[in-house]
Amino acid sequence: MTRWRPGITGKLFFAILGTCILVLVLMHWAVRLSFERGFIDYIKHGNEQRLALLSDALAEQYARQGDWHFLRHNDKYIFRLLRSFDREPETNLDMPPHGWRTQFWVTDRRNARLVGPPGPIPTDGMRREIVVAGQNVGWVIASPVERLTRSTDINFDKQQRRTSWLIVGLSILLAAGATFPLARGLLRPVKKLVEGTHRLAAGDFSTRVAAPGKDELGRLAQDFNQLASTLEKNQQMRRDFMADISHELRTPLAVLRGELEAIQDGVRSFTPETLASLQMEVGTLSKLVDDLHQLSLSDEGALAYQKAPLDMVALLEVAAGAFRERFRSRQLAIELALPEHVTLFGDSDRLSQLFNNLLENSLRYTDAGGKLLISGETRANAFILTFADSAPGVSDEQLARLFERFYRAEGSRNRASGGSGLGLAICQNIVEAHGGCLSAAHSHSGGVSIRVALPLNPELQRNV
């Protein structure tokens, strides 16, 4: 048999209801305790007044009679005195109701009973001596007030207890009626988040939940929607990535297969030109696989970075010098406009890879007769490098997507140039690993301008 366990709504309901019950019970006992103690003090004060009046009245009568013969076994006399105290408004007595009066005894000076209820005279009751001509002639004794409030014969006390518990019971029912919808209302956004999480875990990344407000639950809903949006975007990127990889691999493999089948069938002979074509396709595959490997390492942060103080200008001049001959063969020029020295804290190998990728990008996608201008300046504690090439350029829409993986703009900057579409994505990871940022814009010469911003180390900076 499955054991029933309350959900979060039931737990919250029982928690709030239990708190309400605890508060009500504590309030009930506090009120009862306050009532009993306060009422005991009230009765005690009234009894003290009655004792004083009885003592004075009996002393006056004793002075007239000369002894206690008038009072012995005369309980009615005490009763008439007490009635007379209640009837005389000039006494201005603040006494409890008749039903709360205590019992009184009158004894002589040797504590012999004169009047009073049968049974032993209480030793813990209030006493008031009767004084005549400066001498004690007797005592007036009242029963303890605490004994009166604990008596089961007091109907008023019973009624108050029943009324108090009835109020507690009704309050608990009212609290239960108010707590359940309150618990459901508070947890309604949580349930929506739970349902949305289940759909998200099932693979439905289009799931969104309504933000109930600007409180913690509202911010949680906003974070949930942002997470779902990111997962949806990543899923689409993964699908596009897999499609692009399969497409990029299929093209050189198809060429290789066609060439090999043609040689095998005797359609083409195995000549140096055929070998060069095969080697070119293998080179394309090797470049694509190497770029994919580099990109995966940079995404995971697994690329080794051994940072040290280095001269950025010298590093950039070495990279540009290595590409100068290739640029000249394509009828392209490289111009440098750099400060004499700029020292940064970075990894020389990775920064060289960054510069090589940017130079390779301009070499592939710039028309013959153009140029590449590499300029640099220090600004706001950062070193700003700009790689601005000449025509052809790209549209604004294409410019915004240059750093997407496998993206290549249509037109002159296309797949025919031999790039894998991963170079700029690798560059972006390298720049971000150095705490900088990479961006693209239109260049003044009609091409594309790649801007690299790297933070300077204030202690190592040497600008001349």
Side-chain angles (χ1 to χ4, degrees), residues 200 205 226-236:
L200 200 64
F205 299 137
Q226 185 176 359
L227 173 63
S229 178
T230 302
L231 290 175
E232 186 177 24
K233 181 180 178 181
N234 290 342
Q235 184 190 45
Q236 186 62 40

Side-chain angles (χ1 to χ4, degrees), residues 191-344:
K191 287 187 175 181
K192 291 182 179 179
L193 283 171
V194 172
E195 295 173 358
T197 304
H198 289 164
R199 292 197 298 269
L200 200 64
D204 184 8
F205 299 137
S206 63
T207 302
R208 300 292 185 273
V209 296
K214 296 183 178 180
D215 55 3
E216 289 79 0
L217 286 176
R219 291 194 294 270
L220 180 60
Q222 293 175 0
D223 292 341
F224 175 88
N225 292 336
Q226 185 176 359
L227 173 63
S229 178
T230 302
L231 290 175
E232 186 177 24
K233 181 180 178 181
N234 290 342
Q235 184 190 45
Q236 186 62 40
M237 290 177 61
R238 180 181 60 81
R239 291 174 178 173
D240 295 341
F241 186 70
M242 296 303 297
D244 290 336
I245 288 177
S246 62
H247 179 75
E248 294 293 336
L249 293 174
R250 188 184 299 114
T251 301
L253 285 174
V255 174
L256 283 172
R257 181 177 180 180
E259 292 282 352
L260 292 173
E261 288 180 351
I263 294 174
Q264 186 178 22
D265 295 339
V267 178
R268 294 186 61 178
S269 58
F270 190 74
T271 62
E273 291 78 10
T274 304
L275 179 62
S277 176
L278 293 175
Q279 287 178 336
M280 185 180 66
E281 296 301 329
V282 171
T284 300
L285 277 174
S286 298
K287 179 66 168 58
L288 177 60
V289 172
D290 183 63
D291 286 345
L292 285 172
H293 178 65
Q294 291 290 326
L295 184 62
S296 64
L297 290 178
S298 61
D299 280 343
E300 297 174 358
L303 281 179
Y305 286 89
Q306 298 178 355
K307 297 181 180 180
L310 53 90
D311 189 346
M312 288 290 292
V313 176
L315 192 66
L316 190 53
E317 288 176 345
V318 170
F323 273 80
R324 198 173 295 277
E325 185 61 32
R326 295 180 59 192
F327 269 72
R328 187 179 293 113
S329 66
R330 293 281 304 273
Q331 299 180 8
L332 298 173
I334 300 180
E335 297 181 6
L336 301 179
L338 301 171
E340 186 174 350
H341 294 288
V342 176
T343 302
L344 274 79

